[in-house]
Amino acid sequence: FLNVCIYRLPQDLSIVSPRSFCPQCRTPVRGYDNIPLVSYLLLRGKCRSCGAKISWRYPLVEALTGGFAVALYLKFGLTLGFFAFFVFTAALLVITFIDLDHRIIPDVISLPGIAVGFGLSFFLPAPSWTESLIGLLAGGGSLYLVAIGYEALTKREGMGGGDVKLLAMIGAWLGWKAVLFTIFFASLTGTVIGGGAMLIQKQGRHYAIPFGPFLAFAALAYLFFGPQLIDWYLSLGKP
């Protein structure tokens, strides 16, 4: 289903109907050819009908989704937190791959995500509703100010509105402390990986790199290891 969202949302296609089909020959995918990971291996990465190659992206998304489901179960057990943060993680996966392909973050995911994240703060142990509210305001507001400042100085758009809404969503789900961590960690990884990509591809400093995947990666890092990473970072300055 996440692969369907990644493929169809940027094209404004329904994610409900028709059922999954081959992008090349448009033949509907049979149920037994739509089993996560297993069908890809049995079909050897090719469409049963036309023989067209199936992108490695499909089994990758399936493997990541399954892996995160296991990790969330180990962290939360079979609780409301497990189901809630599985939805959050799934949304981040969809956003990541859409942003990589199209340089957009769909409002249809981020805006409802803000409302759902804040609403769940009244039912989950953490974050509290006040931490969630401050998080969504700080998340959206901080990146908005950065975007306005960058555009004022360079006369170029450096950060899209989608990133602003995404960080607001992250703040609503994880609280204001996660916003600080996410900005720092995403900026660090984005600089290292983005800088490396520019050198490899011999692009100039104006080379456009989607920031959404780095924000999503940083948010997941906080979800699973936030306190440990913060304690480790603070310990670096101690004798």
Side-chain angles (χ1 to χ4, degrees), residues 144-168:
Y144 180 73
L145 291 176
V146 170
I148 293 298
Y150 182 89
E151 188 171 352
L153 291 173
T154 65
K155 308 302 180 184
R156 297 174 65 252
E157 182 179 352
M159 187 171 296
D163 297 321
V164 175
K165 298 165 194 170
L166 174 56
L167 190 57

Side-chain angles (χ1 to χ4, degrees), residues 208-224:
I209 298 173
F211 195 47
F214 298 106
L215 290 172
F217 176 68
L220 291 173
Y222 183 87
L223 175 61
F224 289 104

Side-chain angles (χ1 to χ4, degrees), residues 19-100:
R19 72 173 195 260
S20 299
F21 55 83
C22 172
Q24 298 298 322
C25 67
R26 316 297 287 187
T27 301
V29 178
R30 300 169 179 86
Y32 51 79
D33 287 337
N34 212 17
I35 305 172
L37 294 176
V38 176
S39 293
Y40 183 87
L41 296 174
L42 292 177
L43 292 171
R44 298 181 180 179
K46 296 181 180 180
C47 171
R48 185 185 294 275
S49 299
C50 68
K53 187 177 181 181
I54 301 173
S55 172
W56 57 267
R57 176 76 59 81
Y58 290 91
L60 175 62
V61 172
E62 291 165 355
L64 287 173
T65 305
F68 279 121
V70 173
L72 288 167
Y73 175 76
L74 294 175
K75 182 176 180 64
F76 294 104
L78 201 61
T79 62
L80 176 61
F82 165 78
F83 293 103
F85 284 107
F86 179 77
V87 172
F88 175 67
T89 301
L92 292 180
L93 285 174
V94 173
I95 285 171
T96 293
F97 287 102
I98 289 178
D99 201 20
L100 285 172

